[in-house]
């Protein structure tokens, strides 16, 4: 996956969405090791996808895995939390997020 991310960046990708098939849909957290390896290997933004189950998972993706953004599909689809709840939690943990659409 790291080699493909590097190749994608070399070919002009503007960002990379990293989704581990082992974590996608589980809501048990992101594959932090994979995301970190890719984040460190490329100079374009990396989006963590697949696995968000609680707000702390989003924080871990940014702080530990060095992701630039977080995708939150199932977490939002099954009404476990709203986007504002995730953003507020991340903001409380010192992560810069847009709190509303005007920022």
């Amino acid at each position: 996956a790291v080699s493909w991310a590097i190749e994608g960046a070399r070919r002009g990708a503007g960002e990379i969405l990293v989704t581990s098939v082992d974590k996608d849909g589980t809501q048990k957290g992101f594959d932090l090791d994979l995301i970190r390896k890719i984040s460190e290997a490329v100079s374009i933004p990396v989006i963590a996808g697949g696995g968000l189950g609680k707000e702390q998972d989003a924080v871990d993706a940014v702080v530990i895995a060095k992701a630039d953004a977080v995708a939150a599909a199932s977490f939002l689809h099954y009404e476990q939390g709203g986007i504002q709840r995730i953003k507020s939690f991340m903001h409380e943990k010192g992560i810069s997020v847009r709190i509303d659409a005007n920022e």
Side-chain angles (χ1 to χ4, degrees), residues 15-94:
E15 60 191 14
I16 295 177
L17 172 63
V18 179
T19 302
S20 167
V21 295
D22 295 331
K23 295 284 193 164
D24 193 30
T26 66
Q27 298 181 353
K28 294 181 179 179
F30 297 104
D31 186 336
L32 299 177
D33 187 50
L34 176 62
I35 296 164
R36 182 188 48 75
K37 286 177 181 175
I38 291 173
S39 293
E40 291 175 346
V42 299
S43 60
I44 59 176
V46 172
I47 304 164
L52 181 73
K54 59 187 182 299
E55 291 87 351
Q56 186 62 47
D57 294 333
V59 171
D60 292 347
V62 173
V63 174
I64 295 170
K66 303 178 183 176
D68 297 286
V70 177
S74 294
F75 185 79
L76 300 175
H77 292 163
Y78 299 112
E79 299 183 31
Q80 291 176 305
I83 195 74
Q84 285 307 122
R85 190 169 113 192
I86 296 169
K87 286 181 167 188
S88 293
F89 186 83
M90 293 178 79
H91 180 72
E92 290 170 10
K93 299 295 182 179

